[in-house]
Amino acid sequence: MALLLLAVTASAPVKRYVLPRIVALAYEIEQRGIVYSWGGGHAERPGPSTGTCLGYTGRIKPCPATRTRGLDCSGLTRWVYALAHGADVLGPGNTDDHVRRMREVRSPVPGDLVYFGKRAKERLRTRHVGIYLGGERMLHAPETGATVRVDDIARVRGFLGFYRY
């Protein structure tokens, strides 16, 4: 009986137990005052890095990303998930790349990701992501000139849904 119990628990999904760790890390990172940097967080290893001006369309000119150490939205979620899971589970890429590694959920729990963009015929065209904290709030890296912060989900247009790794 003990062997059967061990086999069942060893095969049980552990991802749901990571979600509270994701939320705790999100609040810790918010306190650090990390600034937004277009392309930040996309170095070889997850975490704050200088960004890129390639594809930059922000309102601050000239593009400050190459001289700003910080995170963009997908760099933030990549880093938090890597810290919580102990590995770079989202990997390199942008929000479109990351959402393909996730599954949509109807009943979100804190620690899930919330995506924004548009639904095309058979694929999502994402443009933003945040970490769901519960109570219709998320942590995200919103835009050039801002710091990583908590906001209401409704503050961002184009809600697509909640996703879980």
Side-chain angles (χ1 to χ4, degrees), residues 21-158:
R21 175 100 173 106
I22 291 168
V23 173
L25 287 164
Y27 280 117
E28 285 177 31
I29 288 169
E30 180 200 20
Q31 297 303 309
R32 295 183 188 186
I34 297 172
V35 298
Y36 181 96
S37 180
W38 177 264
H42 295 284
E44 185 176 324
R45 296 181 64 195
S49 66
T50 53
T52 179
C53 289
L54 186 64
Y56 176 78
T57 58
R59 59 182 167 78
I60 297 176
K61 306 290 187 209
C63 169
T66 57
R67 61 184 186 280
T68 305
R69 182 173 168 78
L71 299 163
D72 67 8
C73 64
S74 57
L76 168 67
T77 57
R78 177 187 180 208
W79 186 35
V80 171
Y81 267 56
L83 290 171
H85 287 273
D88 187 9
V89 295
L90 295 182
N94 60 24
T95 55
D96 283 339
D97 299 313
H98 293 173
V99 77
R100 284 190 212 99
R101 295 179 180 101
M102 314 287 283
R103 65 181 168 87
E104 189 169 14
V105 293
R106 300 276 180 228
S107 300
V109 296
D112 287 336
L113 297 184
V114 55
Y115 281 88
F116 300 86
K118 292 183 180 180
R119 285 191 189 273
K121 289 181 182 177
E122 289 157 15
R123 87 180 249 230
L124 300 176
R125 299 180 68 75
T126 62
R127 63 171 174 74
H128 192 62
V129 63
I131 299 168
Y132 181 60
L133 301 174
E136 300 304 312
R137 299 182 57 76
M138 68 176 172
L139 178 84
H140 66 140
E143 62 188 351
T144 301
T147 59
V148 171
R149 68 179 187 228
V150 175
D151 277 326
D152 289 336
I153 290 171
R155 185 173 180 150
V156 179
R157 293 186 329 260

